[in-house]
Amino acid sequence: MAAIKTEEKPKINEIYAQMEEMEHEQLVICYDKPTGLKAIIAIHNTVLGPSLGGTRMWHYTNEADAIKDVLRLSRGMTFKASISGLNIGGGKAVLIGDPSLKTEAYLRRFGRFIESLGGRYITAEDMNTQTADMEYIAMETKHVTGLPESKGGGGDPSPVTAYGTYLGMKAAAKKAYGSDSLKGKRILIQGAGQVGKHLAEHLSKEDAILMVADINANRVAKVAASTGAKVVSAASIQDIPMDIFAPCAMGGQLNDQTIPVLTCDIVAGAANNQLDNEQVHARMLMEHGILYAPDFLINAGGLINVYQEYQGNYKKSLAIEKAEKIYDTCLAVFDLATSEGISPHEAALQKALKRIKDIGQLKMSW
Ligand code: NAD
């Protein structure tokens, strides 16, 4: 592996500055030479309960990017859990490197690091980690969820994430158009992955005019074939006329370049951290007359699913029932945003922070 240039190496004072700004509790750097494991676990907030969040594996170009990612993602998990009414905090882990590194020994070593945290962090799958990987991790720690259905787990959480995102999109349509019907709406899904494909199925059943874009030609072709969606170029989505944009790939898609040229009325998708800069771009969307369904609220279905499993006696119907609340929570967030003259993102944050503050005070009082 190429040595990291000095200027790309994260400095400890810069890491502390980021933790201070985002109010993190703990950052754990894990290394195992025999397996090549390089993992970073971030625990953002444990006021509501132990931190829970998936493990993402990615070819980060440098450690600073990996730290930035895990800090942002774990913070998002805190708000996602809080606004969804779950008694867990926010955490996340990243594995640095190629997914081909994921041997049994590699994953079990990672499981031991999780075990060493004594339950302060619970893991699950995320990008480039699957339910089968969780089985290896579970050999070393009980602080893991998202196990295969054949092992009594909840299996892949993506269908529940997609269902919640679909309901969040319907709530946004209700707010923007006065009806939550998506029939005839031109909806573009960016990312035909696990969530994107299930979202496309819901939308196709509702007779939306569906478009899908993905950098992976095979995936996008499969989704188009099964749902009747039109394939559009992943490189030029902003130029395409649409009513609703559903980012279901990478974060940071709502930024200075994209927002001014977006033609949609609504942004409602499953990707985490869609706003490149939360404050700036939530406001910019408002100024452009685009209704934004906060990502951490509408993509919470997967977290709801793995949380249900972690509590024991997993029942998919219970997870789905809980995910259905996303619709009403979205409407309440949109109403709060309107009455306070703030963005839906700020309104959702306000609600999430209030619950953490209230429960924190409750726990301190006895
Ligand atoms: P995935 O890896 O299965 O799918 C992502 C897809 O996006 C891939 O097909 C990839 O080729 C495509 N993609 C990447 N860059 C792209 C680009 N520039 N343009 C178009 N397509 C691009 O991931 P997923 O599980 O479907 O998750 C999608 C997003 O939703 C991620 O941001 C993830 O963090 C978030 N999310 C997922 C879940 C879940 O349950 N899976 C839960 C909450 C949030």
Side-chain angles (χ1 to χ4, degrees):
M1 196 179 169
I4 290 173
K5 290 186 209 132
T6 315
E7 67 269 21
E8 289 167 349
K9 283 185 182 161
K11 296 186 181 71
I12 191 79
N13 59 328
E14 289 168 2
I15 296 170
Y16 271 125
Q18 288 181 71
M19 289 176 75
E20 188 183 349
E21 190 195 334
M22 289 188 257
E23 301 187 54
H24 281 77
E25 291 178 11
Q26 195 176 0
L27 191 72
V28 187
I29 315 274
C30 316
Y31 178 60
D32 182 56
K33 195 169 181 179
T35 58
L37 173 82
K38 275 183 160 186
I40 307 175
I41 300 168
I43 298 175
H44 178 253
N45 186 295
T46 55
V47 169
L48 296 176
S51 68
L52 196 166
T55 295
R56 171 171 295 194
M57 186 151 199
W58 196 249
H59 306 268
Y60 292 98
T61 41
N62 58 63
E63 276 89 351
D65 282 356
I67 289 175
K68 193 175 160 196
D69 205 26
V70 79
L71 288 174
R72 280 195 76 184
L73 289 164
S74 56
R75 178 174 174 271
M77 295 309 291
T78 297
F79 303 135
K80 194 182 297 199
S82 176
I83 202 153
S84 307
L86 309 179
N87 291 322
I88 43 166
K92 201 86 183 179
V94 293
L95 301 172
I96 302 172
D98 191 287
S100 62
L101 276 172
K102 283 189 300 175
T103 59
E104 176 183 350
Y106 176 100
L107 290 161
R108 290 180 67 165
R109 190 78 191 107
F110 179 53
R112 285 191 177 205
F113 279 116
I114 295 170
E115 181 64 17
S116 74
L117 296 173
R120 275 177 56 71
Y121 169 67
I122 304 154
T123 202
E125 54 269 68
D126 195 76
M127 271 162 82
N128 289 323
T129 61
Q130 288 85 27
T131 51
D133 300 330
M134 299 306 125
E135 277 192 82
Y136 284 128
I137 293 171
M139 290 175 188
E140 304 295 335
T141 181
K142 58 182 182 303
H143 306 299
V144 54
T145 175
L147 290 161
E149 287 178 85
S150 58
K151 298 280 161 28
D156 176 12
S158 310
V160 188
T161 303
Y163 183 53
T165 305
Y166 164 66
L167 294 177
M169 189 185 283
K170 281 179 80 65
K174 173 104 180 143
K175 177 74 180 173
Y177 304 123
S179 158
D180 70 6
S181 169
L182 298 171
K183 187 174 178 183
K185 297 288 179 230
R186 296 164 303 170
I187 304 175
L188 194 157
I189 302 178
Q190 180 191 42
Q194 287 303 105
V195 179
K197 75 174 179 196
H198 291 295
L199 179 61
E201 283 160 15
H202 289 295
L203 297 173
S204 129
K205 279 184 202 145
E206 210 175 313
D207 292 333
I209 302 168
L210 210 51
M211 295 169 275
V212 253
D214 199 296
I215 49 172
N216 182 316
N218 284 337
R219 280 190 199 163
V220 80
K222 268 192 194 161
V223 172
S226 63
T227 62
K230 181 180 169 197
V231 176
V232 294
S233 160
S236 55
I237 49 159
Q238 282 84 31
D239 304 330
I240 299 166
M242 59 180 124
D243 301 307
I244 301 175
F245 175 43
C248 295
M250 297 296 286
Q253 292 300 306
L254 304 171
N255 54 46
D256 288 345
Q257 285 70 46
T258 57
I259 296 171
V261 288
L262 271 177
T263 58
C264 59
D265 305 314
I266 293 170
V267 174
N272 284 310
N273 297 334
Q274 290 169 34
L275 300 164
D276 192 34
N277 177 313
E278 283 181 41
Q279 295 286 326
V280 173
H281 297 120
R283 285 255 147 199
M284 197 185 274
L285 283 165
M286 260 178 95
E287 284 154 16
H288 281 78
I290 298 172
L291 181 67
Y292 173 63
D295 50 10
F296 66 85
L297 164 57
I298 72 166
N299 74 10
L303 177 65
I304 291 166
N305 198 58
V306 292
Y307 173 71
Q308 205 60 240
E309 176 184 330
Y310 193 70
Q311 286 191 307
N313 199 15
Y314 174 79
K315 282 198 184 72
K316 185 147 257 156
S317 56
L318 279 181
I320 288 172
E321 206 176 287
K322 189 110 188 159
E324 279 172 349
K325 297 199 170 121
I326 289 173
Y327 182 92
D328 285 339
T329 311
C330 264
L331 290 180
V333 161
F334 294 141
D335 285 348
L336 180 65
T338 305
S339 65
E340 304 252 319
I342 55 177
S343 69
H345 177 79
E346 289 166 307
L349 217 51
Q350 209 180 88
K351 276 183 168 289
L353 286 168
K354 183 172 183 326
R355 178 164 179 256
I356 295 168
K357 193 175 165 212
D358 290 351
I359 303 302
Q361 278 171 357
L362 184 86
K363 285 187 176 175
M364 297 274 284
S365 65
W366 283 349

